[in-house]
Amino acid sequence: MSRVFNFSAGPAVLPEEVLKEAAEEMLDYRGCGMSVMEMSHRSKVFDQIIKEAEADIRTLMNIPDNYKVLFLQGGASQQFAAVPMNLMKNKKAGYIITGQWAKKAFQEAKMYGEAVELASSADETFSYIPDCSDLPITDDMDYVYICENNTIYGTKFKTLPNTKGKDLVADVSSCFLSEPVDVTKYGIIYGGVQKNVGPAGMVIVIIREDLIRDDVLPGTPTMLKYKTQADNDSLYNTPPCYDIYICGKVFKWLLKNGGLSAMKELNEKKAKILYDYLDSSKLFKGTVRKEDRSLMNVPFVTGNEELDAKFVKEATEAGFVNLKGHRTVGGMRASIYNAMPIEGVEKLVEFMKKFEEENA
Ligand SMILES: *Cc1c(COP(=O)(O)O)cnc(C)c1O
């Protein structure tokens, strides 16, 4: 068996230890004679899995008691609709457009009310985070929305926007559990798990209790009402059981490895290796304004499309896979999530140096 260094933006690399444990438990989960895929979501065994997962993410993120944790289907994109349907009481909200995912959420929200663009970095291909210290937020807005880490463009909010007292809703899909967060600064934090936490198909929603209400927009499907999901502890219907199980294992792996502050330290170290090289290279260069650089997604280019393609091809052959940039931006992108070992980044940089020498 040989595992590659997988720089995919998502679905992405998971900790090898977690995969091995899951493999060992595949046929017989802890003596119950079946796999987690095969058991009732109402069973005692599964009840323990989901409760432990919730307790562990609460510990990891230091989630206060007045926030609910929901494990839901539909991925992150489902929340683009769920958020306005549940929160748009005044039918108005502000969106900060820092990339494709924010734009998609913005466009979806327009179907349910007045979505206002508060700021945007579209003018420079989303290569920076706009100044959000004094946004045109009005009193009648129900919330302010951001995509905190922009997976495609490689930017990250280093300071949260000044929301002028409005609730902040954040899509954290690609920076989920990569560093400590102050949950109290948000009304809702949500993330699709396939970027940094687990298998695709599930979104984790962390929501302040007063935002879980009955007076949602008329026509909101039962399944999309946060209240339905919260009242039933994510078990209104069959939840993504196996996904919850794997995420639970990743939470335990994170706790064992020092939690989110240790992750942040390691992620900064990993990103620095790559960014330092990009800053010194004569061939490759980063595409993002330095102060807005993501620790998770690192886009870079040579400036020559043919050379980019040659790089991606040779890197793949050498075992560094999924480095091709998003189809909308081109170039390369290395996603270096929690589970990417530091050796992966060191070896990638070694490979890039060699490529630079050979193609000077
Ligand atoms: C990948 C991604 C999404 C979409 O996630 P799905 O689970 O495929 O819906 C949304 N937002 C961000 C920031 C992402 O990186």
Side-chain angles (χ1 to χ4, degrees):
M1 182 189 73
S2 72
R3 302 240 323 145
V4 291
F5 287 117
N6 179 8
F7 294 92
S8 171
V13 57
L14 287 169
E16 213 168 282
E17 211 179 300
V18 165
L19 297 177
K20 277 187 182 149
E21 230 182 78
E24 275 162 27
E25 291 173 346
M26 180 61 79
L27 294 182
D28 178 8
Y29 177 75
R30 300 185 186 177
C32 74
M34 63 181 100
S35 86
V36 175
M37 272 182 240
E38 301 167 295
M39 64 179 58
S40 165
H41 56 295
R42 313 264 175 219
S43 66
K44 264 208 173 104
V45 185
F46 187 74
D47 185 60
Q48 195 188 347
I49 291 173
I50 190 169
K51 290 221 167 91
E52 260 183 47
E54 178 175 344
D56 287 340
I57 193 177
R58 282 187 176 278
T59 306
L60 271 172
M61 292 180 71
N62 195 18
I63 300 174
D65 288 343
N66 64 327
Y67 283 75
K68 275 271 188 189
V69 177
L70 307 173
F71 300 104
L72 308 177
Q73 300 180 29
S77 301
Q78 182 114 288
Q79 296 305 307
F80 298 170
V83 166
M85 287 184 131
N86 282 269
L87 263 49
M88 266 191 176
K89 236 169 141 171
N90 294 328
K91 294 210 157 199
K92 194 168 173 183
Y95 280 71
I96 300 167
I97 313 299
T98 50
Q100 293 234 357
W101 296 118
K103 212 159 110 187
K104 280 193 171 166
F106 176 57
Q107 278 157 354
E108 189 80 15
K110 281 182 180 172
M111 293 165 59
Y112 305 104
E114 190 186 345
V116 179
E117 180 181 301
L118 295 171
S120 167
S121 50
D123 59 341
E124 289 181 39
T125 333
F126 302 116
S127 59
Y128 69 102
I129 297 289
D131 177 10
C132 295
S133 56
D134 187 19
L135 299 166
I137 295 165
T138 52
D139 234 18
D140 54 351
M141 285 183 182
D142 293 304
Y143 59 89
V144 171
Y145 182 100
I146 61 168
C147 177
E148 194 162 330
N149 184 83
N150 297 281
T151 326
I152 296 172
Y153 302 93
T155 60
K156 159 103 203 295
F157 280 84
K158 300 293 162 80
T159 47
L160 294 175
N162 173 6
T163 63
K164 302 184 177 174
K166 298 294 166 196
D167 289 317
L168 180 65
V169 175
D171 173 357
V172 300
S173 297
S174 49
C175 58
F176 216 178
L177 305 178
S178 64
E179 58 179 34
V181 280
D182 180 355
V183 175
T184 64
K185 294 215 161 93
Y186 303 80
I188 296 179
I189 304 178
Y190 75 85
V193 299
Q194 75 274 27
K195 307 294 160 67
N196 209 16
V197 194
M202 183 164 83
V203 57
I204 298 178
V205 178
I206 300 158
I207 176 169
R208 214 179 55 232
E209 272 170 357
D210 60 287
L211 297 176
I212 301 170
R213 5 179 237 243
D214 257 323
D215 58 339
V216 297
L217 295 190
T220 300
T222 310
M223 282 285 291
L224 289 195
K225 269 177 83 171
Y226 292 130
K227 190 158 194 314
T228 308
Q229 303 291 356
D231 286 351
N232 291 282
D233 296 321
S234 308
L235 291 160
Y236 171 74
N237 71 330
T238 320
C241 299
Y242 201 77
D243 215 325
I244 294 167
Y245 158 74
I246 297 289
C247 286
K249 285 199 182 299
V250 172
F251 301 155
K252 288 202 190 296
W253 175 79
L254 289 167
L255 287 168
K256 202 176 85 182
N257 287 288
L260 301 190
S261 30
M263 268 308 129
K264 182 178 190 208
E265 213 173 289
L266 183 61
N267 287 329
E268 281 173 344
K269 212 164 139 188
K270 277 158 40 183
K272 189 173 185 309
I273 295 169
L274 194 45
Y275 284 126
D276 280 354
Y277 168 64
L278 289 174
D279 290 340
S280 70
S281 170
K282 293 203 166 51
L283 180 65
F284 297 104
K285 60 173 193 298
T287 55
V288 168
R289 187 165 76 181
K290 279 187 187 175
E291 56 268 41
D292 302 323
R293 284 170 165 177
S294 165
L295 293 180
M296 297 284 101
N297 311 98
V298 183
F300 55 94
V301 294
T302 62
N304 172 332
E305 271 180 42
E306 267 170 47
L307 209 51
D308 285 351
K310 183 170 185 243
F311 174 79
V312 170
K313 183 170 174 282
E314 289 180 16
T316 306
E317 285 160 7
F320 306 99
V321 310
N322 291 319
L323 280 165
K324 197 171 184 304
H326 191 267
R327 59 196 147 77
T328 59
V329 275
M332 281 74 71
R333 171 180 49 175
S335 295
I336 49 175
Y337 297 119
N338 287 343
M340 171 57 65
I342 195 159
E343 303 90 86
V345 182
E346 286 166 347
K347 291 200 169 136
L348 172 65
V349 168
E350 261 172 53
F351 179 82
M352 289 168 79
K353 282 182 180 161
K354 192 169 129 275
F355 185 88
E356 180 168 357
E357 276 165 27
E358 291 168 357
N359 292 275

